[in-house]
């Protein structure tokens, strides 16, 4: 299966590559508490990864393999937005 992006209320949360629809559904079901981040009303959905998200997944996978890990043990990576830099004291 191609990499999929898990969205929470329409915001990308992570990119994963499940082996099939069953493993995708299982991930969303089992990871719902983490995905929702304390908001039990948040809606979890998924869609195919776009080119940028796919590149992020491929980079993380390459790093995983470079460390000597096997393909089967890599599932995905969180997508985070850059944190705002704190203001420097004046």
């Amino acid at each position: 299966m191609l990499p999929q992006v898990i969205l929470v209320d329409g915001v990308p949360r992570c990119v994963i590559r499940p082996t099939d629809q069953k493993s995708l559904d299982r991930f969303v079901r089992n990871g719902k508490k983490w995905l929702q981040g304390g908001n039990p009303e948040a809606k979890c959905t998924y869609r195919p990864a776009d080119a940028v998200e796919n590149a992020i997944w491929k980079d993380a996978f390459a790093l995983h393999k470079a460390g000597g890990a096997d393909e089967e043990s890599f599932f995905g990576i969180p997508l985070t937005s850059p944190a705002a830099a704190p203001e420097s004291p004046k």
Side-chain angles (χ1 to χ4, degrees):
M1 191 170 211
L2 296 173
Q4 301 287 312
V5 173
I6 308 300
L7 303 119
V8 178
D9 289 339
V11 177
R13 183 81 163 107
C14 60
V15 61
I16 63 172
R17 189 188 71 185
T19 54
D20 54 22
Q21 186 66 44
K22 186 176 177 180
S23 67
L24 175 59
D25 293 338
R26 184 181 329 109
F27 176 80
V28 173
R29 182 180 62 248
N30 293 343
K32 198 168 208 168
K33 195 170 188 174
W34 175 81
L35 292 164
Q36 292 172 324
N39 179 6
E41 301 300 316
K43 184 178 179 184
C44 297
T45 58
Y46 52 85
R47 62 165 170 73
D50 66 21
V52 172
E53 295 157 342
N54 199 30
I56 291 169
W57 186 89
K58 284 181 180 180
D59 283 348
F61 184 52
L63 182 62
H64 175 79
K65 289 193 314 186
D70 65 341
E71 275 188 47
E72 297 301 315
S73 65
F74 185 77
F75 191 71
I77 183 168
L79 293 172
T80 56
S81 57
E87 287 187 35
S88 56
K90 295 184 178 177

